[in-house]
Amino acid sequence: MNIEPNSCRVEDALDILVGKWKPIILLYLLKNGTQRFSKLKRSIPGISQKMLTNQLRELENEDIIQRVVYPQVPPKVEYSITEYGKSLEPILHAMHEWGTKHTFRKKQKMNEWKSK
C-alpha cells in the first residue's frame, strides 16, 4: 500500500459514512431507488424519526443523497442517491464482504475457544 499515514484521507471518508444508520440508508436507496421519508422510516426498524432526519440531512449536505420537496398538501418529500453517492456502492459492498468474513472468523475463533 502506497498511502502515507500523514496524508491518509480514510478519516474524511469515515466522517461521512460513520454511524449505525448511514450505510443502511445508503444501501436501501441504492437497492430500491427514490423513496419517501415515511417508506424509509418503515423500512429501517429501530431508527427514530429524529435520527433518520439527521442522518439524511448529513448525507444531503455531503451531496451523497438528494432531497426533493414537492409543493403540495400534505407535503411530499423524496430521497434518492446522487450520481456522486453511487460511487460509494463498491465501498459499501467491500465493507459488507469484510464484515461477513470477520463475523465468520469470530465464530470460528469462539468455537475453537469453546472446544479447548
Side-chain angles (χ1 to χ4, degrees):
M1 181 176 282
N2 294 329
I3 300 171
E4 289 296 324
N6 292 338
S7 62
C8 180
R9 305 280 32 122
V10 170
E11 186 176 340
D12 296 334
L14 288 176
D15 283 345
I16 295 167
L17 293 176
V18 78
K20 180 178 180 179
W21 302 110
K22 285 180 185 176
I24 304 299
I25 293 166
L26 292 171
L27 287 169
Y28 189 79
L29 289 173
L30 281 164
K31 182 176 181 186
N32 299 301
T34 301
Q35 298 293 311
R36 292 182 70 172
F37 181 89
S38 57
K39 177 100 193 255
L40 275 172
K41 172 78 174 76
R42 283 193 306 273
S43 300
I44 306 171
I47 192 169
S48 69
Q49 183 165 335
K50 181 180 179 182
M51 180 60 73
L52 179 57
T53 299
N54 289 340
Q55 301 286 275
L56 288 168
R57 281 185 186 146
E58 289 176 19
L59 290 167
E60 183 184 10
N61 288 337
E62 297 293 340
D63 193 33
I64 304 298
I65 64 167
Q66 177 181 357
R67 178 178 183 258
V68 176
V69 180
Y70 295 92
Q72 64 185 51
V73 177
K76 178 180 173 183
V77 180
E78 291 183 335
Y79 295 91
S80 58
I81 194 123
T82 64
E83 284 302 314
Y84 177 63
K86 289 177 184 176
S87 67
L88 290 169
E89 188 169 8
I91 295 165
L92 293 168
H93 180 75
M95 290 172 67
H96 167 74
E97 291 296 315
W98 187 88
T100 300
K101 290 175 185 172
H102 182 68
T103 300
F104 180 74
R105 178 184 167 91
K106 281 175 48 177
K107 285 180 183 176
Q108 280 184 317
K109 293 285 185 184
M110 183 59 79
N111 289 338
E112 289 172 13
W113 181 76
K114 286 180 181 178
S115 66
K116 289 183 180 182

